[in-house]
Amino acid sequence: EEDLDFVIREFIKRFKLSDPPEMIPWAREVLQDTERVIGHKNIYIVTNETQEGVRKRFERDGLTHYLDRVDNPFQGKSKEFHKLATINNGSSFIYIGDLVSDGEDCLEARNMGASNLQFYGIIHPYAMCNEESMRQFIESNGEFAKTLNNLEELSRIWKPQ
């Protein structure tokens, strides 16, 4: 335990020096397509990443246009999801995440009253949770959760059935 502070400081130092992870395939195209359909002001990027980390990624990936749409909620994503879902007058509000904890935060926001919130759990090689965990969560919460095998599938949301 006496080395814990040193280890944490060393981790933070190395983390800040490391390159951000690669962008999920099709993320840029899906974001741009989504903006064309629903408008810039209706896009929200909710992340636990620091503003510095987001800026670094967005500059690298040519997405600085979306920096004004980023929220880094200090008190957790569920409260932010609840706020965003309820200010949209009951319109469908979709969060796309690659962590089971994203889905759990959506569930918590729904339990607080954000019944218009839907979760799309994306399964991809970069995800920080395994595919089986995500599929189990979605199966257990099918009333508001769906699986995305890749971001290209999102185009079905924006196209009339």
Side-chain angles (χ1 to χ4, degrees), residues 13 16 32 37 39 88 94 102 110 122 125 137 146:
K13 183 173 88 178
K16 285 183 177 185
Q32 291 167 339
V37 174
N88 282 293
I94 298 167
D102 291 332
R110 285 177 60 86
I122 185 164
F137 176 82
K146 295 175 178 47

Side-chain angles (χ1 to χ4, degrees), residues 77 95-100 102-103 119-124 134:
K77 289 182 179 179
Y95 184 76
I96 302 160
D98 65 351
L99 298 169
V100 170
D102 291 332
F119 173 66
Y120 282 69
I122 185 164
I123 296 171
H124 62 89
M134 181 65 81

Side-chain angles (χ1 to χ4, degrees), residues 111-157:
N111 290 338
M112 292 187 287
S115 59
N116 58 325
L117 177 59
Q118 298 175 42
F119 173 66
Y120 282 69
I122 185 164
I123 296 171
H124 62 89
Y126 312 106
M128 294 185 65
C129 70
N130 66 45
E131 181 177 335
E132 182 181 331
S133 298
M134 181 65 81
R135 290 194 189 280
Q136 285 175 348
F137 176 82
I138 290 168
E139 187 177 304
S140 299
N141 295 283
E143 70 279 2
F144 78 96
K146 295 175 178 47
T147 303
L148 281 175
N149 294 305
N150 59 62
L151 287 175
E152 287 180 280
E153 291 181 357
L154 280 173
S155 64
R156 72 176 186 244
I157 295 171

Side-chain angles (χ1 to χ4, degrees), residues 55-67:
R55 184 192 45 73
K56 200 177 196 183
R57 286 182 191 202
F58 281 24
E59 285 175 355
R60 179 200 63 198
D61 298 331
L63 298 172
T64 55
H65 170 69
Y66 297 101
L67 281 172

